[in-house]
Amino acid sequence: MREVAVIGVGMTKFGEIWDKSFRDLVAEAGMKAIMDAGIEGKDIDAMYIGGMSSGGFVEQEHVAPLAIEVAGLEEFHIPATRVEGACASGGIAVRHGYMAVASGMHDIVIVGGAEKMTDVAGTEATNVLASAADREWEAFFGMTFPGLYALMARYHMHKYGTTPEQLASVAVKNHYNGSMNPNAQYKRRITVDDVLASPMVADPLHLLDCSPITDGAAAIVLAPVDIAKEYTDKIVRFRASAQASDTISLFNRSRFDALPVTIHAGERAFKQAGLTPKDIDLVEVHDCFTIAEIMAIEDLGFFKKGEGGKATEEGLTALDGELPVNTSGGLKSKGHPVGATGVAQVIEITLQLRGEAGERQVKDARIGMTHNVGGSGGTAVVNILEAI
Amino acid sequence: MAVPRYWREIPARYNLIGKKCTVCGRVYFPPRPICPVCRRKSAGKMVDYKLKGTGTVVSYTVIHSPPPHFEGEEPYVMALIKMDEGPHLIGEIVDCEEDEIKIGMRVKATFRRIMDDGEKGAIYYGYKFVKE
């Protein structure tokens, strides 16, 4: 296996981007990543794009050749593949790109992720997202996606005494971080009271416990470390890229106070890297709901099970805490264009490891992690990146 | 929704008919084609098994922001329920005040209308839960 580096990153602003189409977003993110890498279109050997439901959101499938076309790359006829794993689509695309380069199959690979979610009404977007859950045995009966995480939130609260204020403190922290991210959907700082006063979506989750509906695209360029040296002297390499699966349905899981899929992907990533949670300087976790961040920092081994809420409330995961979590603003504040999220997480860690994260820069960041979840925990991808 | 898609799930949704692995004796609901414990040994040995319909609330939520077919129904309570035979499922709890619902509460299945496809479309039925 060859060592793999990220040599270029690019993303659109995340938000309600009414004046740009799915294809505009893909072209913009891809072009920015290619320019950042200092490569030309002809240098690219393969492309992967993550997307959850371009069919559901913009009635367009087969988006890999669409991305090739908008990028003007058709004359090279490179393999272009779309991958889907609900909200982990981007993370899986990254891992496929990583495997293609690590295996020696391809040298320079571009990995993108995109979702255009605001071209349908809010209830329709909720319905499309519900297809990441079990349609026949969860959604059919009136269950929603926030509802599934609300079940886990209440269970966690009941078992460990996690409070609504602790859940809210995740959103407060992530909005604070996002206020310093020029690409974030929401730059407004909020308080615990704001979260608790926002309308209930699925009790105990308020509107401000939930990540938003977002348009956006993100792209990265990968290359073997040896080749990366020709393009950049700020090399960020993969120490691990791990993926795990579990049941699509929540009700068939072995436990409800954790995402077993995160535990398995995390353990695999640490094993591959030969590292432990203590070695990680910062992490981007999948905070689709506030409870998801609390479970993630426990399941990845950073905090004991049941203590994630308390750790967040005490500021241990703040920008200046012992383990900064979601410096980008996370899904909550940066936005969650589902297919793009897993790629955007790698972009944030890369920027931090290069020392290019601006106001939200974590001092002396050397090793970072990304954690991307599909559905209510059917899929997870965990990457560990290191500056060399 | 296409009628066959709804029709083929009727035994499970109307009568709580799941599957029992006759190798290990575990019960699955909704029905699973393969026992995840016995796997290939369970091939051809998964038989229909009707649940009694009683269980315990493991967790619950009140949905305030419903999906398209449930607009106007909100707020409604959805629960994660452990059935007495072992499997967990998701179902709505009805005929009960929100503040009566607690983790650990005993419930039993009841046959109800779930949703419809508009004035001229099919009406979909299935299980909901009431206090035991």
Side-chain angles (χ1 to χ4, degrees), chain B residues 46-68:
Chain B
M46 302 291 282
V47 299
D48 284 356
Y49 188 87
K50 183 173 163 55
L51 300 189
K52 284 183 302 180
T54 49
T56 306
V57 173
V58 174
S59 188
Y60 66 95
T61 177
V62 187
I63 304 290
H64 292 267
S65 183

Side-chain angles (χ1 to χ4, degrees), chain A residues 17 84 95:
Chain A
I17 308 175
E84 189 274 317
R95 186 160 177 277

Side-chain angles (χ1 to χ4, degrees), chain A residues 126-205:
Chain A
T126 304
N127 190 39
V128 173
L129 290 170
S131 60
D134 184 330
R135 176 65 76 180
E136 306 296 344
W137 303 104
E138 291 175 335
F140 173 84
F141 293 96
M143 198 39 152
T144 62
F145 214 70
L148 290 169
Y149 275 91
L151 291 176
M152 291 188 264
R154 190 179 308 275
Y155 188 82
H156 200 278
M157 292 162 92
H158 181 76
K159 189 163 180 183
Y160 302 110
T162 301
T163 65
E165 289 76 14
Q166 289 171 350
L167 294 178
S169 67
V170 171
V172 171
K173 168 183 69 69
N174 291 351
H175 271 252
Y176 176 82
N177 294 349
S179 72
M180 292 176 282
N181 183 349
N183 290 322
Q185 181 165 5
Y186 298 122
K187 297 192 191 66
R188 185 167 68 91
R189 294 181 185 180
I190 58 171
T191 64
V192 167
D193 289 342
D194 290 336
V195 179
L196 299 181
S198 65
M200 204 58 101
V201 170
D203 194 358
L205 299 179

Side-chain angles (χ1 to χ4, degrees), chain A residues 340-353:
Chain A
T341 286
V343 182
Q345 290 177 323
V346 172
I347 293 180
E348 176 67 10
I349 295 298
T350 302
L351 293 176
Q352 289 281 358
L353 299 184

